[in-house]
Amino acid sequence: MSPTVPSAPPQLRIVPERSGPALALVCHAWGFSPAEITLRWLRNGAIVGDTVGDTVGDTVGDTVRDTVGDTSGQSRVLPVGDGTFRTQATIQVPPGTSGDTLECVALHPTLEEPLRIAWAPGLSPRLSLLVALAVLALILGLLLFTFGLSRYLGTGYTPLPGATHAGYTPLPGDTHAGSI
């Protein structure tokens, strides 16, 4: 008798990948059980092709195409080994669609409503953190520079006692004392 695996809802993540001039978005679904799942891509709320089982978009021959944005086939639903499954769906985003919002939607028997994850062009959280740290370091550097410059300029210039020609003091035996 095989052990029964409890039902588990899918987890979703969108991973952008460069493929030439276009950007490919891969919607990964994992950790779900049973294996029946439907993934769909939405562009600005409208369905891009359709994903039922293992394909995304309209199948023409051995290729999968969509009129709104090139959509490629996805891998089959694969067992992970712990009783759960994984799959993915990919969509090609052509250049010049910077204002569009893309969503990956999962339909699964364990979900009361579809699971959605959105992707919009922008910086990743890690890159945003690096940019924020760089800006903070730049501001700190400018503050230290300004503080040092104000201290330097605030002390003013005071010639040495007995100095002539704005601080020039000739050494004994100097024959060029008036040449400045």
Side-chain angles (χ1 to χ4, degrees):
M1 186 187 269
S2 65
T4 60
V5 178
S7 295
Q11 296 179 21
L12 293 180
R13 176 175 294 164
I14 296 176
V15 178
E17 297 177 356
R18 281 275 165 215
S19 63
L23 179 69
L25 297 179
V26 182
C27 179
H28 294 274
W30 74 95
F32 58 91
S33 177
E36 295 83 28
I37 191 167
T38 300
L39 293 179
R40 288 190 178 141
W41 278 104
L42 303 178
R43 175 175 281 141
N44 301 325
I47 295 175
V48 177
D50 190 23
T51 307
V52 179
D54 297 327
T55 59
V56 179
D58 300 320
T59 306
V60 178
D62 290 331
T63 61
V64 178
R65 301 191 183 273
D66 184 76
T67 55
V68 180
D70 258 350
T71 314
S72 69
Q74 72 180 22
S75 62
R76 301 205 179 278
V77 176
L78 299 172
V80 175
D82 60 357
T84 63
F85 298 88
R86 69 178 176 89
T87 190
Q88 66 186 38
T90 303
I91 186 172
Q92 297 292 324
V93 182
T97 57
S98 60
D100 290 349
T101 300
L102 295 163
E103 280 185 292
C104 180
V105 179
L107 304 171
H108 191 261
T110 61
L111 300 171
E112 292 182 17
E113 58 185 56
L115 179 61
R116 298 170 175 262
I117 185 168
W119 181 87
L123 297 178
S124 69
R126 182 174 183 267
L127 190 55
S128 297
L129 177 65
L130 291 175
V131 168
L133 289 174
V135 168
L136 186 62
L138 179 65
I139 290 171
L140 182 62
L142 285 173
L143 287 173
L144 288 173
F145 175 76
T146 304
F147 176 74
L149 187 62
S150 67
R151 291 280 309 236
Y152 174 75
L153 294 177
T155 59
Y157 172 75
T158 323
L160 296 172
T164 59
H165 299 289
Y168 175 74
T169 305
L171 296 173
D174 186 4
T175 58
H176 296 57
S179 65
I180 296 183

